[in-house]
Amino acid sequence: MTLITALLINADGTAQKIDYPKTNKVDHVDDYHGTQVPDPYRWLEDDRSAETAAWVKAQNEVTFGYLSQIPFKQEIYNDLEKAYNYPKYSAPRKKGDYFYFYKNDGLQNQSVLYRQKGLNGTPEVVLDPNKLSADGTTRLTVFSLSKDGAYAVMGFSQGGSDWQEYQVMDMKTLKMLSDKVEWVKVSGAAWQGNGFYYSRYPKPEGSALAAKNENHQVYYHQVGTPQSADKLVFEDAANPQRFHTVSTTEDGRFAALYVSDRGKGKDGNGLWVMAQGQTTFTPIVSEITDFKYGIVDNVDGGFLIETNADAPNGKVVLYDTKAKSWKPFLPEKPEPLVNAGTAGGKVFAEYSKDVTSRIYVYDLKGKLENEVALPGLGTAGGFGGEEEDDFVFYTFTSFNYPPTIFRYDIASKKSTVFREPEVSFKPADYETKQVFYTSKDGTKVPAFIVYKKGLKLDGTNPTLLYGYGGFNISLPPSFSPTRIPFLDQGGVFVQTNLRGGSEYGEKWHEQGMKLKKQNVFDDFIAAAEYLIREKYTSPERLAIQGGSNGGLLVGAVMNQRPELFKVAFPAVGVMDMLRFHKFTIGWNWIADYGSSDNPEEFKYQYTYSPLHNIKAGGRYPATLITTADHDDRVVPAHSFKYAATLQEKAGTSSANPFLIRIDTNSGHGASNTKKALETAADIYAFMFHNMGLTWK
């Protein structure tokens, strides 16, 4: 057992002593291809043990005790709550006579599902998730209406877990039927006939939150029957680490089966289809490679398919089911294709130009008709609907543009504001600029910088640098009400678009994968150096933040360049690069990371794995690690072992705190509004306190 003591310097110059909890070390060593790797905190991987529970309790007592002594923390929470407290709506979705939408009155823990007849009807509550649990942590994760609108699948998650339970609602009475489907994960609800397809795993043995998930199965559930009567539609027991998911076309005539094999490092998927009434799937793409295929819709005896096969930026092709041939529809463009969908007899395609949306409308022959005029540079999403629709809704947002719902009339090709947010925010008071800085290897990397007008470039501004850089995920502009109070304090928010994401197509993604992962860290480090060089901030006023794959990013760069940062926030991070594939669906990440089972990939991962590269006596930035007890995507053991190692190796040599904040009844993201606000307040408080600043 070890007891680590550190002296911290408060903003007033007085010393604050932190006694980190005792953490037992065990003599455990793994052999990776001849390399001996100690894992002294392996016992923290057991999320069901009394010893782990005691360690979590002790760590939280230290962390929350530290945070509670920051004098302005409550003031920060009050400001965040005030900024967040306004009605928030989703874009309506039409089905039959009704329009369905979500609304949060302001501070409700969960958004409420409503419907109304016509656009001028009186809204009625369909489901209020806030009434499902005492602490408001039961979430509505799936709402899928049957093709005729008579029934809906309601998916629920408890305490932030990725596990879901499906129930069925009668949309005439708004009452739940007796149907209950359990152990659903990585699934939608795809209606066809009097039932729906869904994907599930067998009930896990051992810990439901940590056990490896294998043998993903597709079932068909008929309304009004028990789960035990569900028909097994597809499984592949010989390949247990594959995903199998099903969607159905808008008219319900076809079911599409998607099969991916990311556990074997393949980034694409196979595609099979089955017409209603048939019992077997017919292959369209039977070989699983690194190419992705997704059905947009069925038209003219064929399928519109979005793919990146021989088109790194994406394209749409028409697959003729009779001739079994491929025809061009929307050729690849210089800008990445983000999404394609149909509504009102048109195809809507979203492209990304320097990380901002461009929307184009095509006829069903692939002829361009027009571009949708957007309010400015930002992010537009939606544009979905049914064939007979005359208009569609979409949402537009940017860093200084709160999400606004627009109605696009298909015939006139005009957009009008349908619903503006009732937020007390003056966009003219803030400025957003996009810059392109140079990474280590000469690559130009974009970043957005947001601040309140009148900012002085004197190197003293508290700055929060945020990144992700992985899994072909883009970070486009978006509005956050809880960011505004930070900007009002003179803060600078920076969002950088690192390699590994989808900002510039598949090639951009590939430059941040597997043996090229260091490019992501170099891009992030270069962003910090740019901000310091341009005097937005200084190492004493720079904080870094990222979650999940972004938590890995933060852990890696603070190991490599600790002198650049004053504060670090690795959230729900993948911190043990040698064992991530041992838990839940972690094997799915092998396609991006590689695997320690491969000698070459192990050697590379070992050079940057956050857990394995903490140096004894290292002087690291003040660190607040955040995770949660119900995170069954990136299990909290990653953060537990990382925190214990950081406290052990750097806790006595640095005046900075190394704390871990472990939320309860929460998962990979905050499970309700209150928890999200509490976490945000703690992050800002920790940041300002360790920068020697106060919240004015």
Side-chain angles (χ1 to χ4, degrees):
M1 304 287 255
T2 59
L3 180 61
I4 304 170
T5 302
L7 288 178
L8 308 181
I9 304 301
N10 285 327
D12 62 3
T14 61
Q16 179 185 355
K17 181 180 178 181
I18 290 186
D19 288 335
Y20 294 109
K22 296 178 179 180
T23 306
N24 185 42
K25 296 179 70 174
V26 297
D27 186 18
H28 186 100
V29 178
D30 290 312
D31 186 316
Y32 291 91
H33 317 289
T35 299
Q36 305 299 306
V37 180
D39 194 359
Y41 300 118
R42 174 68 63 87
W43 62 274
L44 284 170
E45 291 180 358
D46 186 355
D47 65 316
R48 297 181 301 166
S49 77
E51 292 81 5
T52 299
W55 184 88
V56 167
K57 183 175 183 292
Q59 290 283 350
N60 267 345
E61 287 176 355
V62 170
T63 298
F64 286 106
Y66 176 94
L67 293 169
S68 68
Q69 295 179 32
I70 299 176
F72 47 83
K73 187 172 80 77
Q74 185 60 46
E75 185 178 349
I76 294 176
Y77 181 87
N78 294 342
D79 286 351
L80 298 182
E81 186 178 66
K82 181 179 179 181
Y84 195 85
N85 190 12
Y86 65 93
K88 304 167 193 68
Y89 294 83
S90 71
R93 174 189 171 191
K94 186 175 182 294
K95 176 64 72 172
D97 295 332
Y98 289 98
F99 287 88
Y100 292 85
F101 62 95
Y102 293 93
K103 179 189 177 186
N104 190 306
D105 289 340
L107 295 176
Q108 288 176 289
N109 275 320
Q110 306 293 336
S111 294
V112 179
L113 177 62
Y114 292 86
R115 73 176 181 184
Q116 62 187 56
K117 275 194 174 182
L119 290 178
N120 298 315
T122 301
E124 64 174 333
V125 174
V126 176
L127 184 80
D128 183 356
N130 297 288
K131 297 180 178 180
L132 300 178
S133 59
D135 62 356
T137 60
T138 298
R139 295 177 297 142
L140 176 62
T141 53
V142 171
F143 171 59
S144 178
L145 286 157
S146 61
K147 303 303 180 181
D148 60 3
Y151 299 101
V153 174
M154 301 288 190
F156 301 99
S157 163
Q158 296 185 354
S161 171
D162 280 349
W163 288 113
Q164 299 174 82
E165 177 182 285
Y166 284 1
Q167 298 181 36
V168 177
M169 176 179 281
D170 184 327
M171 299 312 293
K172 290 182 180 179
T173 64
L174 300 185
K175 301 293 185 182
M176 290 294 187
L177 304 180
S178 60
D179 303 56
K180 185 177 293 186
V181 175
E182 297 180 304
W183 301 113
V184 180
K185 185 183 278 195
V186 190
S187 177
W191 283 93
Q192 190 176 65
N194 191 40
F196 58 90
Y197 299 96
Y198 69 94
S199 303
R200 60 161 292 183
Y201 286 104
K203 183 179 179 180
E205 297 181 5
S207 170
L209 297 176
K212 183 183 287 189
N213 303 142
E214 294 185 321
N215 194 18
H216 206 219
Q217 304 163 319
V218 177
Y219 281 87
Y220 180 82
H221 176 84
Q222 185 171 324
V223 173
T225 63
Q227 186 174 10
S228 59
D230 289 356
K231 178 184 177 183
L232 177 63
V233 176
F234 188 86
E235 72 170 338
D236 185 357
N239 293 285
Q241 292 184 350
R242 286 184 173 182
F243 285 140
H244 308 118
T245 57
V246 169
S247 68
T248 49
T249 54
E250 188 63 42
D251 59 12
R253 291 172 54 204
F254 297 94
L257 170 68
Y258 299 90
V259 180
S260 62
D261 202 1
R262 292 177 57 84
K264 291 186 178 178
K266 296 178 181 179
D267 203 35
N269 64 275
L271 174 61
W272 287 257
V273 294
M274 180 172 64
Q276 188 171 10
Q278 295 181 340
T279 57
T280 58
F281 287 94
T282 301
I284 292 180
V285 180
S286 58
E287 184 178 354
I288 303 173
T289 65
D290 284 332
F291 297 134
K292 301 179 178 69
Y293 300 87
I295 291 180
V296 177
D297 208 346
N298 55 308
V299 294
D300 295 334
F303 295 102
L304 290 179
I305 296 178
E306 184 179 334
T307 181
N308 63 349
D310 302 317
N313 286 342
K315 63 183 178 181
V316 177
V317 295
L318 177 63
Y319 177 77
D320 188 315
T321 54
K322 292 183 179 180
K324 296 185 178 180
S325 62
W326 302 82
K327 300 177 183 178
F329 187 82
L330 299 183
E332 183 183 23
K333 294 166 66 78
E335 298 80 28
L337 174 64
V338 177
N339 182 58
T342 59
K346 307 294 180 184
V347 176
F348 291 84
E350 177 191 353
Y351 291 86
S352 177
K353 183 176 176 59
D354 289 332
V355 209
T356 58
S357 295
R358 304 291 189 278
I359 310 296
Y360 300 96
V361 184
Y362 300 84
D363 67 17
L364 293 182
K365 300 295 183 181
K367 180 183 177 182
L368 176 65
E369 293 192 346
N370 63 284
E371 180 178 357
V372 177
L374 300 177
L377 296 179
T379 306
F383 297 98
E386 300 180 350
E387 186 176 355
E388 65 271 15
D389 288 344
D390 298 320
F391 58 87
V392 295
F393 293 102
Y394 68 91
T395 302
F396 180 84
T397 185
S398 191
F399 291 106
N400 58 349
Y401 198 109
T404 302
I405 301 170
F406 289 84
R407 169 176 165 169
Y408 175 79
D409 185 83
I410 295 174
S412 68
K413 304 176 182 177
K414 301 291 185 183
S415 294
T416 54
V417 174
F418 175 74
R419 180 168 282 141
E420 286 185 295
E422 304 167 19
V423 54
S424 56
F425 167 74
K426 297 179 180 178
D429 291 347
Y430 305 86
E431 186 167 339
T432 298
K433 65 188 297 186
Q434 187 179 38
V435 300
F436 294 83
Y437 62 89
T438 304
S439 191
K440 183 178 181 179
D441 64 357
T443 301
K444 291 291 184 181
V445 181
F448 294 97
I449 305 177
V450 191
Y451 50 88
K452 197 165 187 179
K453 288 183 177 177
L455 183 79
K456 294 181 180 180
L457 299 181
D458 58 7
T460 66
N461 305 301
T463 299
L464 185 59
L465 173 60
Y466 180 84
Y468 187 78
F471 294 92
N472 207 31
I473 293 173
S474 177
L475 290 183
S478 64
F479 180 78
S480 171
T482 56
R483 191 181 298 138
I484 303 307
F486 169 65
L487 300 179
D488 288 342
Q489 294 291 320
V492 178
F493 176 77
V494 184
Q495 182 169 290
T496 181
N497 299 102
L498 312 169
R499 281 176 284 184
S502 64
E503 285 85 348
Y504 292 101
E506 183 58 26
K507 290 183 179 179
W508 193 254
H509 174 213
E510 290 173 352
Q511 290 179 47
M513 292 171 59
K514 294 186 176 179
L515 301 182
K516 297 180 179 178
K517 190 67 177 176
Q518 184 60 42
N519 285 336
V520 183
F521 311 141
D522 290 342
D523 290 354
F524 199 68
I525 289 168
E529 292 174 332
Y530 173 87
L531 295 169
I532 294 167
R533 183 169 62 251
E534 297 298 319
K535 296 193 179 301
Y536 283 96
T537 191
S538 67
E540 289 299 307
R541 294 289 170 86
L542 179 57
I544 52 175
Q545 183 182 35
S548 195
N549 173 72
L552 156 64
L553 166 71
V554 171
V557 299
M558 63 180 272
N559 280 339
Q560 295 178 13
R561 294 293 302 278
E563 78 283 358
L564 282 178
F565 320 112
K566 181 61 179 177
V567 182
F569 298 110
V572 293
V574 185
M575 314 308 270
D576 184 345
M577 292 306 300
L578 307 185
R579 288 180 57 77
F580 67 82
H581 55 302
K582 304 291 186 182
F583 307 98
T584 63
I585 58 169
W587 46 261
N588 170 56
W589 312 330
I590 290 174
D592 243 61
Y593 293 149
S595 169
S596 60
D597 295 337
N598 178 298
E600 184 183 17
E601 291 171 346
F602 156 73
K603 185 177 180 181
Y604 188 75
Q605 291 172 329
Y606 197 32
T607 66
Y608 71 79
S609 177
L611 175 65
H612 300 98
N613 286 276
I614 300 172
K615 297 179 178 63
R619 296 191 175 275
Y620 295 99
T623 304
L624 179 62
I625 306 157
T626 53
T627 187
D629 63 350
H630 277 60
D631 188 348
D632 48 3
R633 195 176 312 172
V634 180
V635 293
H638 280 277
S639 294
F640 294 174
K641 291 162 65 176
Y642 176 73
T645 305
L646 191 59
Q647 290 174 357
E648 174 206 347
K649 292 189 174 182
T652 58
S653 60
S654 174
N656 289 328
F658 307 116
L659 304 175
I660 181 168
R661 184 189 190 277
I662 306 154
D663 209 347
T664 56
N665 267 350
S666 207
H668 201 58
S671 56
N672 65 27
T673 295
K674 189 172 188 298
K675 288 180 178 294
L677 292 175
E678 289 172 343
T679 301
D682 286 349
I683 285 172
Y684 284 137
F686 187 87
M687 174 181 173
F688 272 57
H689 180 64
N690 281 282
M691 289 181 179
L693 300 172
T694 59
W695 196 268
K696 302 173 185 176

